[in-house]
Every structure is written in C-alpha cells, then in structure tokens.
C-alpha cells in the first residue's frame, strides 16, 4: 500500500471546504472513513479534516485502496497544469503515460524514452506521485474505460481492449476496484443522468466526448489562431468549430471540436479507425487546446504587470495553442521561417496536396477535411525526389528535419526534456533558437518561453510601450515567469492590432 501525502494539508482542506473547482485535477481528497476519493469541488459536505489525506493523483489514491466517488467523478476534470510546468522525470512521465506509451511500449519503453531504468523510474514516480508507472497507467485505462462505457454504444468486451486492458476479466476487476460497481452499472447510471449532464450522442460511427477545462476560457483566440493557419483539406474552421484529420498510433482519424457549444467543456466528435486510439486522441486534443491550463494562475501573474493588465482584463483565460501532431508542427514551423503566416499556410497546403494521403472513405464527412498531412517518412522520401520550392537554406532545413524524424534520430513527443530538445533541434541545419523555442512552446507546452527575438513579439511589446529589443524585453519579462509563453501570446495579439503585416509566423 502507498501511504504518501505530498501536499500541504491545511491549504488543501481550505480548497475542499470552499469547494473550489480551480483545484480539480490538481489533487484528490482521500477520505479514510469511507475509503472514497473525490475531487476538491465534490458537492457532498466536506469530511472532517482529521479523516482525509490529500494525494497528487488518482493512481496514488487507488494504490492506497480508495475507490472513486461516483457523484463527483474525480477523473472527469481537467488534468493538472503541473505536468506542463515540470520538466523533470515525473512530469515528462505523466505526459507520456497520458499519451498511452505504457499500453503501446510497456514500462521498459516508457523508462527508455526518459533515460532511466525501470527500477529507477518506479522509485522516482512512487516518491513524487505516490504511485508507480503501472498504477498510473492503470488509472489512465480506468478513466478511458469509463468514458467509453458512458458515452458510446460499444460492447463491454470491445471497450476492455480499446481501453488497453489485457482481458475482459482485468477490465471488470479494475472498474469494480476503482468505481465500486461493474461496468454495466456505470452505463446504467450514466443513462439515468439528466439530459443536461449527458454528453450528446455522436453521429453513426463516431463518438462525442466532453473535454472539460478551467474557466475562464478564450475559445475565440484559439479559433482565430487555427483559422489563420488552417491547411486546406487537412483542417478547417467554421463558426465555433475546428475540424481536422489526425494520425493516431493505430490509424487515421478525424475530429470535430466545438469550442463554444457548452460552458465548461469542449465537445469533441471523434471518428477513429481503432477504438484503442480514443485515449491518445483525447490527450492530444487537450494539449492542442491547452485545456489543462490554470488560467486564473496565469492571469494573476500577468495581470499584476500594469502594462499587461489591460490585455488580461480584455482577454481572460488566454490559451497557448499546442499541437495534435508534433512532426507536422515541426515541418510547418520550418516552412514558416521568415515568411508571413499566409505564405506559410500556402506552402503547407501545397506540400499536403503533393505528398499527403487521402483519408479512408469510412472516415470522411460530406464537407469535412479529407487529407492526412504527410508523415515524416513520406516527406523525407518525397522532398529528396522533388526538392521543395523557396529559399535553398529553408529547403535544406526541411530535408534535414524530415530525415531526422523519419530515422528516429529526432524524437518529438511530450516527454522530451525541453533543454535537450532545443539542443537537438539547433544542431540540425537551418534550425535556430527561434524555431527550437517555438517548438518547445507548441509541442511540449512549455509555459515559460518568451521568444524575445521574435519580430511580432517585439513589435507587440513596442506597441505597448515595452522595450523592443530582445535583451531588454527579456529583462523586463522576468516577473512574468513561469507564464511567459502566455505573455508572448498577448504580445502577438498586440502586434496584430498595431501592425497586421507582421511577418513572423507565430
């Protein structure tokens, strides 16, 4: 049994007593008298302080013998923003576990990606998070299983394997242990909830999932960012919806994200080739939209600066756009070097039209995207046979990047150490600190990358009366840490307002 309390008891108990939803996903409340764990905002009366422990993860609570509260569903909340802030082994491991690495590669594969032995990694995670990698992955599987049980018509046996369990018996035992009831009862309870609390059914062949976030939330800034960069036939933005094709571990997929349909959550309608990809898809979409962010913490730091305060007040809950496909984002970043956003979009559209793969017919919607952005192997071969247009230096950089990705010499995933990734990127021809920093921001979700050399960041700073040179701006921005990536997003928007022709592809 794990019996590790990692958080300040008094601080956490105040949050639980106030039913403060800002802390949902950042820790769980384990009640010793009932052996149940809850989210901080659980609607039931708070337990007595002497009867509770506070743990960082649901996995730690499960390992200690607690089961999930079926009233507040502590796993149906945004994830902890701590995993983006932390670049240590524990934070990187949590990001990879959420992406399904343990299911696909096992604990040895996870440990190898992080550069540790399995024993070392187990000790680190148990000490930091109260649970080892298998327990953390088991909690992730239980969460995916609950989503599929409650929101899809899939048979329970199919759900067992889709969620990553090795057998139906293991699936049943885990669900009983975590939720206290068999999967069939979870499905029956979900069907009895009021319609306003249920996720709407998806169209035939699709599932609709609710992706919760912490308020405030700025959907329109994300939609504008995505619309300006949308690659024809790969993605589209219309109204409050973003649609795109996806390459997932077990096959292609499409997603339709409605960012404005329901307060407190984005609705995602997913069509996947293989149901095993539901968990990784949810994780990647959450990272794309920065749904695990703590906007009040970000706004509190940035809003304390008198120059940024009006921007924060005008756009509370600004989000840092991420990526659903790191390799695609890397390629598009190189295509966007030293050109406008529109020119970068045109170049990416041509590349996709030339080398992209058609979406399987069963996944296509009548008016939706129908093309998969080319994968690194296809790009490496295609760019060698037919060099891309544009400056020779950019073409060389693009070929070198795609070759490194295709060979596996360069790994782009959420578990990378930011400093190591920057160093590896800068070692490639034609990729400098700006591109490396930009990819750390978009791929790793690094919240503290100012990109002070970026032309649009500096123009935005000047428009606000801040220093316009990189060195002085870096010094001025020290008080914005650890949220300088969000500050850069505010500065980019200020630059667009002041000078819409800013050329840097942000």
């Amino acid at each position: 049994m794990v019996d590790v309390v990692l958080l300040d008891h008094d601080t956490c108990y105040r949050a639980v007593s106030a039913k403060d939803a800002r802390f949902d996903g950042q820790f769980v409340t384990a009640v010793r008298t009932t052996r149940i764990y809850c989210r901080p905002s659980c609607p039931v009366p708070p337990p007595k302080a002497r009867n509770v422990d506070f743990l960082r993860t649901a996995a730690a609570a499960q390992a200690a013998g607690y089961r999930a509260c079926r009233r507040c569903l502590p796993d149906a909340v945004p994830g902890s923003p701590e995993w983006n802030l932390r670049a240590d082994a524990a934070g990187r491991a949590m990001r990879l576990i959420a992406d399904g690495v343990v299911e696909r590669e096992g604990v040895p594969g996870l440990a190898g990606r992080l550069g540790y032995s399995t024993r070392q990694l187990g000790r680190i995670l148990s000490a930091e998070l109260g649970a080892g990698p298998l327990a953390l992955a088991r909690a992730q599987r239980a969460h995916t299983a609950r989503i599929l049980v409650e929101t899809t018509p899939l048979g329970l046996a199919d759900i067992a394997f889709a969620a990553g369990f090795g057998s139906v018996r293991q699936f049943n035992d885990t669900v009983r242990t975590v939720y206290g009831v068999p999967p069939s009862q979870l499905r029956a309870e979900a069907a009895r909830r009021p319609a306003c609390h249920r996720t709407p059914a998806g169209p035939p062949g699709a599932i609709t999932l609710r992706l919760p976030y912490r308020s405030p939330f700025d959907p329109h800034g994300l939609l504008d960012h995505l619309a300006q960069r949308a690659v024809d036939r790969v993605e589209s933005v219309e109204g409050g919806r973003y649609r795109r094709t996806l390459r997932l571990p077990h096959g292609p997929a499409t997603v339709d994200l409605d960012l404005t349909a329901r307060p407190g959550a984005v609705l995602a309608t997913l069509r996947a080739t293989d149901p095993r990809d539901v968990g990784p898809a949810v994780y990647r979409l959450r990272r794309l939209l920065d749904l695990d962010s703590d906007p009040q913490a970000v706004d509190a730091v940035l809003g304390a600066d008198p120059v940024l305060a009006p921007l924060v007040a005008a756009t509370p809950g600004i989000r840092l756009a991420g990526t659903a496909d790191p390799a695609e984002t890397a390629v598009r970043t190189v295509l966007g070097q030293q050109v406008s956003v529109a020119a970068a979009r045109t170049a990416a559209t041509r590349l996709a039209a030339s080398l992209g793969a058609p979406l399987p017919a069963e996944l296509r919607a009548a008016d939706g995207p129908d093309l998969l952005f080319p994968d690194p192997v296809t790009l490496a071969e295609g760019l060698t046979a037919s060099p891309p247009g544009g400056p020779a230096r950019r073409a060389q950089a693009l070929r070198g990047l795609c070759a490194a990705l295709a060979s596996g010499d360069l790994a782009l995933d959420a578990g990378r150490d930011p400093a190591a990734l920057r160093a590896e990127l800068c070692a490639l021809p034609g990729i400098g600190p700006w591109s490396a920093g930009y990819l750390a921001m978009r791929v790793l979700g690094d919240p503290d990358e100012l990109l002070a050399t970026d032309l649009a960041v500096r123009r935005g700073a000047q428009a606000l009366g801040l220093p316009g040179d990189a060195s002085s701006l870096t010094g001025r921005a020290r008080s914005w840490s650890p949220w300088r990536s969000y500050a850069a997003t505010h500065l980019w928007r200020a630059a667009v307002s002041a000078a819409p022709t800013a050329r840097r592809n942000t």
Side-chain angles (χ1 to χ4, degrees):
M1 176 182 292
V2 176
D3 188 20
V4 180
V5 180
L6 298 169
L7 300 165
D8 179 75
H9 192 280
D10 292 341
T11 300
C12 292
Y13 192 74
R14 285 195 295 271
V16 170
S17 298
K19 302 188 185 304
D20 194 333
R22 293 177 300 169
F23 292 90
D24 288 352
Q26 302 195 44
F27 66 86
V28 296
T29 305
V31 186
R32 291 194 293 268
T33 50
T34 62
R35 307 305 295 173
I36 289 174
Y37 71 92
C38 301
R39 64 167 83 179
S41 67
C42 184
V44 303
K48 294 179 179 179
R50 65 174 181 268
N51 292 333
V52 298
D53 290 330
F54 299 106
L55 303 170
R56 286 195 186 278
T57 63
Q62 293 166 22
Y66 294 89
R67 65 176 177 83
C69 173
R70 298 206 306 279
R71 182 166 181 182
C72 72
L73 294 174
D75 61 349
V77 297
S80 173
E82 182 178 4
W83 311 134
N84 279 345
L85 278 171
R86 293 177 63 161
D88 61 1
R92 292 159 54 208
M94 284 297 289
R95 296 195 291 269
L96 289 173
I97 289 169
D99 194 46
V101 167
V102 173
E103 277 69 34
R104 297 192 297 274
E105 303 174 21
V107 174
L110 173 67
R113 286 186 181 228
L114 297 170
Y116 291 92
S117 70
T118 55
R119 181 174 295 181
Q120 286 176 314
L121 182 61
R123 284 200 299 264
I124 290 169
L125 296 183
S126 294
E128 293 284 331
L129 307 177
L134 284 176
L136 291 163
R138 177 176 178 264
Q140 182 70 26
R141 285 195 294 271
H143 171 56
T144 301
R146 184 189 62 76
I147 291 175
L148 293 174
V149 166
E150 294 183 349
T151 64
T152 76
L154 286 173
L156 296 180
D158 292 330
I159 290 173
F161 295 106
F165 291 98
S167 68
V168 174
R169 180 177 179 177
Q170 186 187 66
F171 162 65
N172 286 328
D173 290 346
T174 297
V175 171
R176 282 179 179 274
T177 300
V178 173
Y179 298 106
V181 296
S184 57
Q185 187 168 335
L186 277 184
R187 177 165 279 175
E189 289 176 355
R192 290 196 296 267
R193 290 177 193 148
C196 61
H197 293 158
R198 293 200 301 264
T199 303
I207 58 174
T208 297
L209 306 167
R210 180 179 174 275
L211 308 181
Y213 55 75
R214 295 179 182 87
S215 296
F217 177 61
D218 173 35
H220 303 293
L222 281 170
L223 289 165
D224 288 346
H225 173 92
L226 294 167
Q228 291 166 14
R229 294 156 181 79
V231 174
D232 293 347
R233 298 180 60 195
V234 173
E235 52 190 339
S236 66
V237 176
E238 182 178 353
R241 295 165 59 197
Y242 171 66
R243 297 188 291 177
R244 70 157 294 147
T245 60
L246 297 167
R247 290 185 182 274
L248 296 174
H250 298 99
T254 64
V255 69
D256 183 335
L257 295 170
D258 194 330
L259 279 68
T260 59
R262 178 177 292 188
V266 171
L267 293 183
T269 301
L270 180 70
R271 294 176 184 269
T273 306
D274 191 314
R276 289 176 295 174
D277 282 331
V278 171
V282 167
Y283 172 71
R284 295 177 189 192
L285 295 171
R286 294 192 65 82
R287 290 187 65 80
L288 171 67
L289 303 178
D290 195 20
L291 298 183
D292 292 331
S293 173
D294 184 351
Q296 295 196 34
V298 175
D299 290 354
V301 170
L302 301 186
D305 187 299
V307 176
L308 295 183
L311 304 183
V312 173
T315 312
I318 199 169
R319 289 309 204 264
L320 183 64
T323 178
D325 188 327
E328 175 189 320
T329 298
V331 169
R332 292 171 64 172
T333 297
V334 172
L335 288 173
Q337 289 177 344
Q338 302 299 330
V339 299
S340 68
V341 171
R345 174 183 177 178
T346 298
T349 296
R350 288 174 178 166
L351 193 64
S354 173
L355 298 174
L359 190 72
E362 63 271 18
L363 296 179
R364 296 182 191 173
D367 58 346
D370 62 355
L371 190 67
L372 292 162
F373 196 84
D375 62 76
V377 173
T378 301
L379 284 168
E381 295 172 351
L383 294 175
T384 299
S386 179
R393 180 176 173 81
R394 189 179 70 183
Q396 180 189 17
L398 195 58
R399 285 195 297 269
L401 171 68
C402 293
L405 289 169
S407 67
D409 291 340
L410 175 65
L412 282 178
D413 60 52
R416 292 300 310 272
D417 174 76
L421 178 61
R422 284 180 172 87
E424 289 182 25
L425 287 167
C426 289
L428 295 173
I431 295 183
W434 181 87
S435 296
Y438 185 81
L439 286 172
M441 179 189 290
R442 299 297 187 211
V443 172
L444 303 184
D446 185 345
D448 205 28
E449 174 59 69
L450 180 62
L451 288 179
T453 62
D454 182 87
L455 179 60
V457 166
R458 290 187 284 117
R459 284 181 172 171
Q462 285 180 310
L464 297 172
L466 294 167
D469 65 283
S471 177
S472 299
L473 181 59
T474 299
R476 176 66 174 76
R478 287 195 183 97
S479 63
W480 303 342
S481 184
W483 309 115
R484 285 178 288 190
S485 296
Y486 295 88
T489 305
H490 279 294
L491 296 179
W492 277 325
R493 295 190 187 181
V496 170
S497 299
T501 57
R503 292 177 56 81
R504 176 72 83 177
N505 176 35
T506 56

